[in-house]
Amino acid sequence: MQNLSPTSDLAQVCISSLLCLADRTMPKKAKPAGTGKEEGPVPCKQLKMEAAGGPSTLNFNGPSSLFESLISPIKTETFFKEFWEQKPLIIQRDDPALATYYQSLFKLSDLKSLCSRGMYYGRDINVCRCVNGKKKVLNKDGKVHFLQLRKDFDHKRATIQFHQPQRFKDELWKIQEKLECYFGSLVGSNVYMTPAGSQGLPPHYDDVEVFILQLEGEKHWRLYHPTVPLARQYSVEAEDRIGRPTHEFTLKPGDLLYFPRGTIHQADTPPGLAHSTHVTISTYQNHSWGDFLLDTISGLMLDTAEEDMAFRAGIPRQLLLVETTAVATRRLSGFLRKLADRLEGTDVLLSSDMKKDFVLNRLPPYYEGDGAELSTPGGQMPRLDSVVRLQFKDHVILTVGLDQSRSDETQDKMVYVYHSLKNRRALHMMGKEETECHGLRFPLSHVDALKQIWTSAAVSVKDLKLTTDEEKESLVLSLWTECLIQVV
C-alpha cells in the first residue's frame, strides 16, 4: 500500500401549488418525432390535480430523494421510461414556497458581492447578446467590475452568463453534489440573467442533458425538432433551417424544464417585464455507451494481449500506407469477437479512465463547517477484531492499472482506490484538473478484500480475504486514515 501522488416531443404539466399528489393523470404523449410534418407550438394543458399538502423545497435525504423531489410530481420511473434521452418535459408549478426557494439559489443582486471576490471575463462571466441570429460577445478584458457589468445589462440589454456558480453558492453545491452521486456523472451549471425584451443566445443545441430551473422573472422558450438526436457536440443552428417551433411556452419561478442533448432551443425574456434569471444544470457529457466502450476496450485489449500471442503479432508490412484490405478487416473482426467473448466471461475488475476522471474532477461531499470529517479520521482506530464499513461510498471508486511509481520497464498491476473527499470545490468544472490524485494503491492481491468492504454493509477485519493478519490490519488502517471507513 502506498499513498498516491499527486428528442422532440414535450410533455407539459401545469401543477397546482403544494405539490404532494396522492393521485394524478399523466398527460397524453405527443406525436413521435421524425414524421417530417411540421406542428404548431403545443400550449400548456392544465391538469386537474388535488393538492395533498407538504413541503415544497427539495429533499436532501439522499441522491434518489433529491432527484425525485426536483422533478416532482413526475415519478422517477416515469421520467426515465418516457422522457430521459427521448423528449423534453416541462413542469409548470404554481407554488409560492418553491418559487421562493428557487429565487434563493441565485439572484441578479448576488453579482455585486461576487464581483468583489475577483471575477474575470471568460473564466467566470460572459456578457453576450443575440443579434440577427448570431451571438455577439461583449466581454471586456481582465477583471469584471460590477458597475460596468450592470451598465452592459441595463443599456446594451446584454445577457450575463455566470459560470459554475456552485463554486460560490452553497445550496447549488448541495444540489449538484447529490446529482453527481445520483447520475454517476459530472454535473455542471451556468446562470443566465437576461433583461426584459432581450435574448442572449441564438438557436442552438447542446451535448449535455439539461435541467433548467427558473429563478427570477419569466423566460419564453421555443423548442425545435433535433437535427442530431443525442448530439455529441454543441452547435448553433440558423433559424431559417430549423422550421417552426414544435413547442412554445413561458417559465415562471419554481418551474422546471428538461430536454435531451441535441434538442434545438432558444429563449428570450418577454418585453415589458422584469429581467429573467435561470440556472441550467447539465450532465452526461461524453457519457454514452460509445464512450464507455472506448474506455473499456483499451484495458481489455492490453490484458488479452498479455495472454494471447496473436494480439502481439505485427501487422503486415506497409499496411499503414494502403487502404485497409479485406484480409485486415476480417482479422480485426476476429480480434473484436475474441474481446467480446473475453468480456462476457470475466468478472475481473477492469481499468477505467472514465471512473478516474469522474472522481478526480467531481465536487467534494457537501459539508457545513470546516469539513474536518473529510480530512481527519474519526472514531475508533480499526484493529483485527473490529467490524468496519465503508463511508462516503458514492465518492469512492475501485479500478486497476499499472504501477505508475515504477520507473523501470516492468510495471506490475495495482488496485487503485480513488476518492473525491479532498477535491477543491473552487475548481469544479473549470477545465483545470486536480493537481494530485486523492486515494491509495494496493497490490492486486488485495482486490478481493477491497471488494468485500465495498459490497458489505459491514465486514469483520479478521474475515478479509488476505493471507496474513498484518495485511488485514494494514489495509483497514490505510482506509481509515484516508477517512474512507469507520469502525461500527
Side-chain angles (χ1 to χ4, degrees):
M1 178 280 303
Q2 296 177 342
N3 282 319
L4 287 177
S5 300
T7 90
S8 68
D9 294 307
L10 177 68
Q12 304 190 56
V13 186
C14 299
I15 298 159
S16 301
S17 62
L18 299 176
L19 302 173
C20 204
L21 309 174
D23 189 22
R24 61 185 176 82
T25 304
M26 289 298 296
K28 293 182 179 179
K29 294 182 179 179
K31 288 185 178 181
T35 60
K37 297 179 180 179
E38 289 190 344
E39 302 176 24
V42 175
C44 182
K45 296 180 179 179
Q46 179 71 42
L47 298 182
K48 294 182 180 179
M49 301 182 180
E50 294 181 3
S56 298
T57 54
L58 302 181
N59 183 343
F60 289 96
N61 287 339
S64 296
S65 299
L66 182 278
F67 185 72
E68 187 168 355
S69 66
L70 183 69
I71 63 169
S72 174
I74 302 298
K75 297 300 183 184
T76 302
E77 181 181 357
T78 301
F79 176 79
F80 285 103
K81 182 179 179 181
E82 299 185 15
F83 301 101
W84 177 254
E85 293 191 328
Q86 299 171 64
K87 59 187 178 183
L89 164 70
I90 178 175
I91 302 176
Q92 293 180 303
R93 303 166 169 130
D94 181 14
D95 186 341
L98 187 59
T100 299
Y101 173 72
Y102 271 29
Q103 289 166 353
S104 73
L105 297 177
F106 198 107
K107 301 183 289 293
L108 178 65
S109 58
D110 292 337
L111 285 175
K112 185 174 183 178
S113 61
L114 287 168
C115 286
S116 69
R117 300 172 65 168
M119 301 295 114
Y120 287 84
Y121 287 103
R123 186 192 72 178
D124 303 299
I125 288 176
N126 274 336
V127 180
C128 60
R129 186 175 180 186
C130 179
V131 179
N132 297 323
K134 294 183 179 180
K135 177 182 176 180
K136 183 178 181 180
V137 178
L138 303 173
N139 287 356
K140 307 296 187 294
D141 293 328
K143 195 173 181 179
V144 177
H145 297 283
F146 173 72
L147 292 178
Q148 178 64 54
L149 194 65
R150 191 64 202 235
K151 182 178 179 181
D152 289 339
F153 184 82
D154 292 332
H155 300 297
K156 295 185 179 179
R157 321 305 296 158
T159 288
I160 300 170
Q161 178 187 19
F162 193 95
H163 299 154
Q164 310 305 333
Q166 72 277 7
R167 296 176 293 149
F168 308 101
K169 305 292 284 186
D170 287 355
E171 198 70 8
L172 286 173
W173 171 23
K174 190 176 180 182
I175 292 171
Q176 289 174 234
E177 183 262 329
K178 280 286 189 288
L179 290 177
E180 286 187 332
C181 293
Y182 185 74
F183 286 110
S185 176
L186 295 175
V187 176
S189 67
N190 287 319
V191 170
Y192 296 86
M193 292 153 279
T194 303
S198 186
Q199 179 170 335
L201 299 173
H204 66 280
Y205 59 79
D206 298 300
D207 59 347
V208 286
E209 300 296 302
V210 170
F211 296 86
I212 289 166
L213 283 60
Q214 185 67 25
L215 310 182
E216 294 183 305
E218 298 183 4
K219 204 65 174 282
H220 168 240
W221 287 85
R222 286 168 286 175
L223 305 181
Y224 305 80
H225 285 300
T227 53
V228 184
L230 301 183
R232 290 181 55 83
Q233 293 181 326
Y234 167 92
S235 180
V236 174
E237 291 283 9
E239 194 147 8
D240 58 0
R241 294 183 60 241
I242 59 178
R244 296 170 58 195
T246 56
H247 302 90
E248 191 167 359
F249 51 90
T250 298
L251 295 183
K252 298 180 180 180
D255 293 348
L256 179 141
L257 168 66
Y258 158 79
F259 52 79
R261 53 196 188 276
T263 302
I264 301 171
H265 57 280
Q266 62 178 321
D268 62 274
T269 304
L273 297 173
H275 69 272
S276 164
T277 302
H278 76 262
V279 62
T280 296
I281 297 175
S282 58
T283 190
Y284 260 59
Q285 186 177 51
N286 299 327
H287 211 69
S288 67
W289 276 111
D291 296 302
F292 190 59
L293 175 62
L294 186 63
D295 184 55
T296 302
I297 204 168
S298 58
L300 182 64
M301 190 279 297
L302 291 173
D303 291 347
T304 306
E306 290 183 2
E307 302 174 12
D308 191 336
M309 190 175 69
F311 282 79
R312 303 196 301 271
I315 62 176
R317 290 181 300 106
Q318 299 186 341
L319 181 61
L320 302 182
L321 301 177
V322 298
E323 291 187 12
T324 304
T325 64
V327 173
T329 300
R330 286 196 298 272
R331 192 76 181 271
L332 287 172
S333 297
F335 285 138
L336 289 172
R337 281 190 287 271
K338 281 189 176 182
L339 290 176
D341 292 341
R342 181 184 176 95
L343 183 61
E344 287 191 359
T346 187
D347 59 356
V348 175
L349 188 65
L350 298 172
S351 62
S352 174
D353 288 334
M354 283 180 71
K355 279 186 179 182
K356 180 180 176 181
D357 179 75
F358 169 51
V359 169
L360 298 188
N361 291 289
R362 63 174 300 188
L363 284 164
Y366 176 80
Y367 60 83
E368 296 177 349
D370 60 4
E373 66 272 22
L374 304 182
S375 57
T376 304
Q380 183 182 349
M381 181 184 296
R383 305 290 186 186
L384 186 63
D385 59 351
S386 299
V387 175
V388 299
R389 68 181 176 196
L390 186 68
Q391 58 181 359
F392 302 110
K393 186 174 182 179
D394 289 335
H395 285 265
V396 192
I397 60 107
L398 289 177
T399 186
V400 297
L402 296 176
D403 186 355
Q404 300 298 326
S405 68
R406 296 283 295 271
S407 58
D408 54 21
E409 293 184 1
T410 57
Q411 291 181 313
D412 295 328
K413 275 190 177 179
M414 306 288 287
V415 55
Y416 288 84
V417 179
Y418 293 114
H419 66 80
S420 57
L421 273 59
K422 300 175 184 176
N423 285 5
R424 294 176 58 192
R425 171 190 175 192
L427 298 181
H428 185 243
M429 301 299 290
M430 294 303 291
K432 299 175 182 178
E433 292 190 7
E434 294 288 334
T435 55
E436 61 179 329
C437 306
H438 302 300
L440 304 163
R441 61 169 173 259
F442 302 93
L444 197 59
S445 58
H446 285 50
V447 67
D448 288 337
L450 287 165
K451 285 182 177 179
Q452 280 180 274
I453 297 172
W454 254 249
T455 58
S456 303
V459 62
S460 173
V461 175
K462 63 184 178 183
D463 292 336
L464 293 175
K465 296 178 181 179
L466 287 169
T467 306
T468 67
D469 290 346
E470 183 181 0
E471 286 180 316
K472 296 174 184 179
E473 283 194 308
S474 177
L475 172 61
V476 295
L477 184 59
S478 298
L479 294 171
W480 178 77
T481 303
E482 203 73 6
C483 304
L484 299 181
I485 63 170
Q486 60 182 180
V487 176
V488 296

